[in-house]
Amino acid sequence: QVQLVESGGGVVQPGRSLRLSCAASGFIFISHGMHWVRQAPGKGLEWVAFISYDGSNKYYGDSVKGRFTISRDNSKNTLDLQMNSLRAEDTAVYYCAKDQQMFTIPGPYGMDVWGQGTTVTVSS
Amino acid sequence: DIQMTQSPSSLSASVGDRVTITCRASQSIRTYLNWYQKKPGKAPKLLISAASSLESGVPSQFSGSGSGTDFTLTISSLQPEDYATYYCQQSYSSPYTFGQGTMLEIK
């Protein structure tokens, strides 16, 4: 079945780094752009980053630009999020999600498949 | 950046009620508007894409409408499983912002 499984979350000190991964299965990974979305405790959903199907286009939210890097390995069907210079406000559940649009940047069709989320806690 | 504003922020309603949630974009996003349902401890679920297209498997009591800057999500007859937080999200241009959410509570 179509599935996304995140891993790599944990507790990290402010200023340190963490790398999240997302393993995809059950669909043609190379055909779709992928997103990271997060939800801080008691807060709403926040879009974090997008990478196009071939990795040529990458976009970031204002709060993570310059600190986070999204990447993908289409040979392994994996998506990553390298998070550097972490802050307390980065504490959240991080979800990877599949964009419904194929072979281009996001279209009007939204994120139709989501992982279960991985928790990142930034604390000293 | 495009700002997405939902109203109301919270709503109390009874089973069987008709509920409408609105979402306004700070500039035209054509029909690049998606609605998600979020329950505690669960991943978000895409309900409606492209402003009015019901996703496969989503009950028909959900519907969406609008274009440009003003959009609505309507639940025609609330069911117990519909109590959740609902988010709109624009996929027109980066950053692909979400609204602040509308928490739907049992009356």
Side-chain angles (χ1 to χ4, degrees), chain B residues 21-89:
Chain B
I21 298 168
T22 65
C23 179
R24 175 164 288 178
S26 59
Q27 66 184 73
S28 176
I29 56 171
R30 296 164 59 182
T31 57
Y32 286 54
L33 190 283
N34 309 296
W35 289 99
Y36 299 86
Q37 179 190 67
K38 179 70 170 69
K39 295 181 178 180
K42 300 286 190 179
K45 177 183 179 181
L46 179 63
L47 300 175
I48 289 171
S49 64
S52 60
S53 180
L54 192 67
E55 290 296 304
S56 175
V58 175
S60 59
Q61 72 252 31
F62 291 93
S63 64
S65 64
S67 67
T69 60
D70 294 309
F71 302 88
T72 60
L73 172 71
T74 299
I75 309 173
S76 60
S77 178
L78 267 177
Q79 300 302 303
E81 59 269 25
D82 299 337
Y83 291 95
T85 301
Y86 293 85
Y87 294 89
C88 62
Q89 181 244 347

Coordinates of all heavy atoms in Angstrom, one line a residue, chain B residues 21-89:
Chain B
I21 N -17.0 26.7 7.0 CA -15.7 27.4 7.4 C -15.2 28.1 6.2 O -15.3 27.7 5.1 CB -14.7 26.3 7.8 CG1 -15.2 25.5 9.0 CG2 -13.3 26.9 8.1 CD1 -14.4 24.2 9.3
T22 N -14.7 29.3 6.4 CA -14.2 30.2 5.4 C -12.7 30.3 5.4 O -12.1 30.3 6.5 CB -14.9 31.5 5.3 OG1 -14.6 32.3 6.5 CG2 -16.4 31.4 5.3
C23 N -12.2 30.6 4.3 CA -10.7 30.8 4.2 C -10.5 31.9 3.1 O -11.1 31.8 2.0 CB -10.1 29.5 3.7 SG -8.3 29.5 3.4
R24 N -9.7 32.9 3.5 CA -9.4 34.0 2.6 C -7.9 34.1 2.4 O -7.1 34.1 3.4 CB -10.0 35.3 3.2 CG -9.6 36.5 2.4 CD -10.5 37.7 2.8 NE -11.9 37.5 2.4 CZ -12.8 38.4 2.6 NH1 -12.6 39.5 3.4 NH2 -14.0 38.2 2.2
A25 N -7.6 34.2 1.1 CA -6.2 34.4 0.8 C -5.9 35.9 0.6 O -6.8 36.7 0.2 CB -5.9 33.7 -0.5
S26 N -4.6 36.3 0.9 CA -4.3 37.7 0.8 C -4.1 38.2 -0.7 O -4.0 39.4 -0.9 CB -3.0 38.0 1.6 OG -1.9 37.2 1.1
Q27 N -4.1 37.3 -1.6 CA -4.1 37.6 -3.0 C -4.7 36.4 -3.8 O -4.9 35.4 -3.2 CB -2.6 37.9 -3.5 CG -1.7 36.7 -3.5 CD -0.3 37.0 -3.9 OE1 0.5 37.7 -3.2 NE2 0.1 36.6 -5.1
S28 N -5.0 36.6 -5.0 CA -5.6 35.6 -5.8 C -4.8 34.3 -5.9 O -3.6 34.4 -6.2 CB -6.0 36.1 -7.2 OG -6.5 35.0 -7.9
I29 N -5.4 33.2 -5.6 CA -4.7 31.9 -5.7 C -5.4 31.0 -6.7 O -5.3 29.8 -6.7 CB -4.5 31.2 -4.4 CG1 -5.8 31.0 -3.6 CG2 -3.5 32.0 -3.5 CD1 -5.7 30.1 -2.4
R30 N -6.3 31.6 -7.5 CA -7.1 30.9 -8.5 C -7.9 29.8 -7.7 O -8.6 30.1 -6.8 CB -6.2 30.3 -9.6 CG -5.6 31.5 -10.4 CD -4.4 31.0 -11.3 NE -4.8 30.0 -12.3 CZ -3.9 29.4 -13.1 NH1 -2.6 29.8 -13.0 NH2 -4.3 28.5 -13.9
T31 N -7.7 28.5 -8.1 CA -8.3 27.4 -7.3 C -7.3 26.5 -6.6 O -7.5 25.4 -6.4 CB -9.3 26.6 -8.2 OG1 -8.5 26.1 -9.3 CG2 -10.5 27.5 -8.6
Y32 N -6.1 27.1 -6.4 CA -5.0 26.3 -5.7 C -5.2 26.3 -4.2 O -4.4 26.7 -3.4 CB -3.7 26.9 -6.1 CG -3.2 26.7 -7.5 CD1 -4.0 27.0 -8.6 CD2 -2.0 26.1 -7.8 CE1 -3.6 26.8 -9.9 CE2 -1.5 25.9 -9.1 CZ -2.4 26.2 -10.1 OH -1.9 26.0 -11.4
L33 N -6.3 25.7 -3.8 CA -6.7 25.7 -2.4 C -7.1 24.3 -2.0 O -7.9 23.7 -2.6 CB -7.9 26.7 -2.2 CG -8.3 27.1 -0.8 CD1 -9.2 26.0 -0.1 CD2 -7.1 27.5 0.1
N34 N -6.6 23.9 -0.9 CA -6.8 22.5 -0.4 C -7.3 22.6 1.1 O -6.9 23.5 1.8 CB -5.5 21.7 -0.5 CG -4.9 21.8 -1.8 OD1 -5.4 21.4 -2.8 ND2 -3.7 22.4 -1.9
W35 N -8.1 21.6 1.4 CA -8.6 21.5 2.8 C -8.2 20.2 3.4 O -8.3 19.1 2.8 CB -10.2 21.5 2.8 CG -10.7 22.9 2.5 CD1 -11.2 23.3 1.2 CD2 -10.9 24.0 3.4 NE1 -11.7 24.6 1.3 CE2 -11.5 25.0 2.6 CE3 -10.7 24.2 4.7 CZ2 -11.9 26.3 3.2 CZ3 -11.0 25.4 5.3 CH2 -11.6 26.4 4.5
Y36 N -7.7 20.3 4.7 CA -7.3 19.1 5.4 C -8.0 19.0 6.7 O -8.4 20.0 7.3 CB -5.8 19.2 5.7 CG -4.9 19.3 4.5 CD1 -4.6 20.5 3.9 CD2 -4.3 18.2 3.9 CE1 -3.9 20.6 2.8 CE2 -3.5 18.2 2.8 CZ -3.3 19.5 2.2 OH -2.5 19.5 1.1
Q37 N -8.2 17.8 7.2 CA -8.7 17.5 8.5 C -7.6 16.9 9.4 O -6.8 16.0 8.9 CB -9.8 16.4 8.4 CG -10.5 16.0 9.6 CD -11.4 14.8 9.4 OE1 -10.9 13.7 9.1 NE2 -12.7 15.0 9.6
K38 N -7.5 17.4 10.6 CA -6.4 17.0 11.5 C -7.1 16.6 12.8 O -7.8 17.4 13.5 CB -5.4 18.1 11.7 CG -4.3 17.8 12.6 CD -3.3 16.8 12.1 CE -2.1 16.6 12.9 NZ -2.3 16.0 14.2
K39 N -6.8 15.4 13.2 CA -7.2 14.9 14.5 C -6.0 14.7 15.4 O -4.9 14.4 14.9 CB -8.0 13.6 14.4 CG -9.3 13.8 13.7 CD -10.1 12.5 13.6 CE -11.4 12.7 12.9 NZ -12.2 11.4 12.8
P40 N -6.1 14.8 16.7 CA -4.9 14.7 17.6 C -4.2 13.3 17.5 O -4.9 12.3 17.4 CB -5.5 14.9 19.0 CG -6.8 15.7 18.8 CD -7.3 15.2 17.5
G41 N -2.9 13.4 17.3 CA -2.2 12.2 17.2 C -2.2 11.5 15.8 O -1.6 10.4 15.7
K42 N -2.9 12.1 14.9 CA -3.1 11.5 13.6 C -2.4 12.4 12.5 O -2.3 13.6 12.8 CB -4.5 11.3 13.2 CG -5.3 10.4 14.2 CD -4.9 8.9 13.9 CE -5.9 8.0 14.7 NZ -5.5 6.6 14.5
A43 N -2.1 11.9 11.4 CA -1.6 12.7 10.3 C -2.7 13.5 9.7 O -3.9 13.0 9.7 CB -0.9 11.8 9.2
P44 N -2.5 14.6 9.1 CA -3.5 15.3 8.4 C -4.1 14.5 7.2 O -3.4 13.6 6.7 CB -2.8 16.6 7.8 CG -1.6 16.7 8.8 CD -1.2 15.4 9.1
K45 N -5.3 14.7 6.9 CA -6.0 14.0 5.8 C -6.5 15.0 4.8 O -7.2 16.0 5.2 CB -7.1 13.2 6.4 CG -8.0 12.5 5.3 CD -9.1 11.7 6.0 CE -10.0 11.0 4.9 NZ -11.2 10.3 5.6
L46 N -6.2 14.8 3.5 CA -6.6 15.7 2.5 C -8.1 15.4 2.2 O -8.4 14.2 1.9 CB -5.8 15.5 1.2 CG -6.2 16.3 0.0 CD1 -6.0 17.8 0.3 CD2 -5.3 15.9 -1.2
L47 N -8.9 16.4 2.3 CA -10.4 16.2 2.1 C -10.8 16.7 0.7 O -11.5 16.0 -0.1 CB -11.2 17.0 3.1 CG -11.0 16.7 4.6 CD1 -11.8 17.7 5.4 CD2 -11.4 15.3 4.8
I48 N -10.3 17.9 0.3 CA -10.7 18.6 -0.9 C -9.5 19.3 -1.5 O -8.7 19.9 -0.8 CB -11.8 19.6 -0.6 CG1 -13.1 18.9 -0.3 CG2 -12.0 20.6 -1.8 CD1 -14.2 19.8 0.2
S49 N -9.3 19.1 -2.8 CA -8.2 19.7 -3.5 C -8.8 20.6 -4.6 O -10.0 20.5 -4.9 CB -7.2 18.7 -4.0 OG -7.8 17.9 -5.0
A50 N -7.9 21.5 -5.1 CA -8.4 22.4 -6.2 C -9.7 23.1 -5.9 O -10.6 23.2 -6.7 CB -8.4 21.6 -7.5
A51 N -9.8 23.5 -4.6 CA -11.0 24.2 -4.1 C -12.3 23.4 -4.0 O -13.0 23.7 -3.0 CB -11.2 25.5 -4.9
S52 N -12.5 22.5 -4.9 CA -13.9 21.9 -4.9 C -13.9 20.4 -5.2 O -14.9 19.8 -5.3 CB -14.8 22.6 -5.8 OG -14.3 22.5 -7.2
S53 N -12.7 19.8 -5.4 CA -12.6 18.4 -5.8 C -12.5 17.5 -4.6 O -11.5 17.5 -3.9 CB -11.4 18.2 -6.7 OG -11.3 16.9 -7.1
L54 N -13.5 16.7 -4.4 CA -13.6 15.8 -3.3 C -12.6 14.6 -3.5 O -12.7 14.0 -4.5 CB -15.0 15.3 -3.1 CG -15.4 14.6 -1.8 CD1 -15.3 15.5 -0.6 CD2 -16.7 13.9 -1.9
E55 N -11.8 14.4 -2.5 CA -10.8 13.3 -2.6 C -11.5 12.0 -2.5 O -12.6 11.8 -1.9 CB -9.7 13.4 -1.5 CG -8.8 14.6 -1.8 CD -8.0 14.5 -3.0 OE1 -7.3 13.4 -3.2 OE2 -8.1 15.4 -3.9
S56 N -10.9 11.0 -3.1 CA -11.5 9.6 -3.1 C -11.6 9.1 -1.7 O -10.7 9.3 -0.9 CB -10.6 8.7 -3.9 OG -11.0 7.4 -3.8
G57 N -12.8 8.6 -1.4 CA -13.0 8.0 -0.1 C -13.5 9.0 1.0 O -13.9 8.6 2.1
V58 N -13.5 10.3 0.6 CA -14.0 11.3 1.6 C -15.6 11.3 1.5 O -16.1 11.4 0.4 CB -13.4 12.7 1.3 CG1 -14.0 13.8 2.1 CG2 -11.9 12.6 1.5
P59 N -16.3 11.3 2.6 CA -17.7 11.3 2.5 C -18.3 12.5 1.8 O -17.7 13.6 1.9 CB -18.1 11.3 4.0 CG -17.0 10.8 4.7 CD -15.8 11.2 4.0
S60 N -19.4 12.3 1.2 CA -20.0 13.3 0.4 C -20.6 14.5 1.2 O -21.0 15.5 0.6 CB -21.1 12.7 -0.5 OG -22.1 12.1 0.3
Q61 N -20.7 14.4 2.5 CA -21.2 15.6 3.3 C -20.2 16.7 3.3 O -20.5 17.8 3.6 CB -21.5 15.2 4.7 CG -20.3 14.9 5.6 CD -20.2 13.5 6.0 OE1 -20.5 12.6 5.1 NE2 -19.7 13.2 7.2
F62 N -18.9 16.5 2.8 CA -17.9 17.5 2.7 C -18.0 18.1 1.3 O -18.1 17.4 0.3 CB -16.5 17.0 2.9 CG -16.3 16.6 4.3 CD1 -16.4 15.3 4.7 CD2 -15.8 17.5 5.2 CE1 -16.2 14.9 6.1 CE2 -15.5 17.1 6.6 CZ -15.8 15.8 7.0
S63 N -17.9 19.4 1.2 CA -17.9 20.1 -0.1 C -17.1 21.4 0.0 O -17.0 21.9 1.1 CB -19.3 20.4 -0.7 OG -19.9 21.3 0.1
G64 N -16.5 21.8 -1.1 CA -15.7 23.0 -1.1 C -16.1 23.9 -2.3 O -16.6 23.4 -3.3
S65 N -15.9 25.2 -2.1 CA -16.2 26.1 -3.2 C -15.3 27.3 -3.1 O -14.6 27.5 -2.1 CB -17.7 26.5 -3.2 OG -17.9 27.2 -2.0
G66 N -15.3 28.1 -4.2 CA -14.6 29.3 -4.2 C -13.5 29.4 -5.2 O -13.1 28.4 -5.8
S67 N -13.0 30.6 -5.5 CA -11.9 30.8 -6.4 C -11.4 32.2 -6.1 O -12.1 33.1 -5.6 CB -12.3 30.6 -7.8 OG -13.2 31.6 -8.2
G68 N -10.2 32.5 -6.5 CA -9.6 33.8 -6.3 C -9.1 34.0 -4.9 O -8.0 33.4 -4.6
T69 N -9.8 34.6 -4.1 CA -9.4 34.9 -2.7 C -10.3 34.3 -1.6 O -9.9 34.2 -0.4 CB -9.2 36.4 -2.4 OG1 -10.4 37.0 -2.6 CG2 -8.1 37.0 -3.3
D70 N -11.5 33.9 -2.0 CA -12.5 33.5 -1.0 C -13.0 32.1 -1.2 O -13.4 31.7 -2.3 CB -13.7 34.5 -0.9 CG -13.2 35.8 -0.5 OD1 -12.6 35.9 0.6 OD2 -13.6 36.8 -1.2
F71 N -12.9 31.3 -0.2 CA -13.2 29.8 -0.2 C -14.0 29.4 1.0 O -13.9 30.0 2.0 CB -11.9 29.0 -0.3 CG -11.0 29.4 -1.4 CD1 -10.1 30.5 -1.3 CD2 -11.1 28.8 -2.7 CE1 -9.2 30.9 -2.3 CE2 -10.2 29.2 -3.7 CZ -9.3 30.2 -3.6
T72 N -14.8 28.3 0.8 CA -15.5 27.8 1.9 C -15.4 26.2 1.9 O -15.4 25.6 0.8 CB -17.0 28.2 1.8 OG1 -17.6 27.7 0.6 CG2 -17.2 29.7 1.9
L73 N -15.4 25.7 3.1 CA -15.6 24.3 3.3 C -16.9 24.1 4.0 O -17.2 24.8 5.0 CB -14.5 23.7 4.1 CG -14.6 22.3 4.6 CD1 -14.5 21.3 3.4 CD2 -13.6 21.9 5.7
T74 N -17.8 23.2 3.5 CA -19.1 23.0 4.1 C -19.2 21.5 4.4 O -18.8 20.7 3.6 CB -20.2 23.4 3.1 OG1 -20.1 24.8 2.8 CG2 -21.6 23.1 3.7
I75 N -19.7 21.3 5.6 CA -20.1 19.9 6.1 C -21.6 20.0 6.2 O -22.1 20.7 7.0 CB -19.4 19.6 7.4 CG1 -17.9 19.8 7.3 CG2 -19.7 18.1 7.7 CD1 -17.2 19.6 8.7
S76 N -22.3 19.2 5.3 CA -23.7 19.4 5.2 C -24.5 18.8 6.4 O -25.5 19.4 6.8 CB -24.2 18.7 3.9 OG -23.9 17.3 4.0
S77 N -24.0 17.8 7.0 CA -24.6 17.2 8.2 C -23.5 16.5 9.1 O -23.0 15.5 8.7 CB -25.6 16.1 7.7 OG -26.2 15.5 8.9
L78 N -23.2 17.2 10.1 CA -22.1 16.8 11.0 C -22.3 15.4 11.5 O -23.4 15.1 12.0 CB -21.9 17.8 12.1 CG -20.9 18.9 12.0 CD1 -21.0 19.8 13.2 CD2 -19.5 18.4 11.7
Q79 N -21.2 14.6 11.4 CA -21.2 13.3 12.0 C -20.2 13.3 13.2 O -19.3 14.1 13.3 CB -20.8 12.3 11.0 CG -21.7 12.2 9.8 CD -23.1 11.9 10.2 OE1 -23.4 10.8 10.8 NE2 -24.1 12.7 9.8
P80 N -20.4 12.3 14.1 CA -19.5 12.3 15.3 C -18.0 12.3 14.9 O -17.2 12.9 15.6 CB -19.9 11.1 16.0 CG -21.3 10.9 15.7 CD -21.4 11.3 14.2
E81 N -17.7 11.6 13.8 CA -16.3 11.5 13.4 C -15.7 12.7 12.8 O -14.5 12.8 12.5 CB -16.1 10.3 12.5 CG -16.9 10.3 11.2 CD -18.3 9.7 11.4 OE1 -18.8 9.6 12.5 OE2 -18.8 9.2 10.3
D82 N -16.5 13.8 12.6 CA -16.1 15.0 11.9 C -15.5 16.0 12.9 O -15.0 17.0 12.4 CB -17.3 15.6 11.2 CG -17.8 14.8 10.1 OD1 -17.1 13.9 9.6 OD2 -19.0 15.0 9.7
Y83 N -15.6 15.7 14.2 CA -15.0 16.7 15.1 C -13.5 16.6 15.1 O -12.9 15.5 15.3 CB -15.6 16.4 16.5 CG -17.0 16.8 16.6 CD1 -18.0 15.8 16.4 CD2 -17.4 18.1 16.8 CE1 -19.4 16.1 16.4 CE2 -18.8 18.4 16.8 CZ -19.7 17.4 16.6 OH -21.1 17.8 16.7
A84 N -12.9 17.7 14.7 CA -11.5 17.8 14.3 C -11.1 19.2 14.1 O -12.0 20.1 14.3 CB -11.2 16.9 13.1
T85 N -9.9 19.4 13.7 CA -9.4 20.8 13.3 C -9.2 20.8 11.8 O -8.7 19.8 11.2 CB -8.1 21.2 14.0 OG1 -8.3 21.2 15.4 CG2 -7.7 22.6 13.6
Y86 N -9.7 21.8 11.1 CA -9.7 21.9 9.7 C -8.8 23.0 9.3 O -8.8 24.1 9.8 CB -11.1 22.1 9.1 CG -11.9 20.9 9.4 CD1 -12.6 20.7 10.6 CD2 -12.0 19.9 8.4 CE1 -13.4 19.5 10.8 CE2 -12.8 18.7 8.6 CZ -13.4 18.6 9.8 OH -14.2 17.4 10.1
Y87 N -7.9 22.7 8.3 CA -7.0 23.7 7.7 C -7.1 23.9 6.3 O -7.3 22.9 5.5 CB -5.5 23.2 8.0 CG -5.1 23.1 9.4 CD1 -5.3 22.0 10.2 CD2 -4.5 24.2 10.1 CE1 -5.0 21.9 11.5 CE2 -4.1 24.1 11.4 CZ -4.4 23.0 12.1 OH -4.0 22.9 13.4
C88 N -7.1 25.1 5.8 CA -6.9 25.4 4.4 C -5.4 25.6 4.1 O -4.7 25.9 5.0 CB -7.7 26.6 3.9 SG -7.3 28.2 4.7
Q89 N -5.1 25.4 2.9 CA -3.7 25.5 2.5 C -3.6 25.9 1.0 O -4.4 25.4 0.2 CB -2.9 24.2 2.7 CG -1.4 24.2 2.3 CD -1.1 23.3 1.1 OE1 -1.9 22.5 0.7 NE2 0.1 23.5 0.6

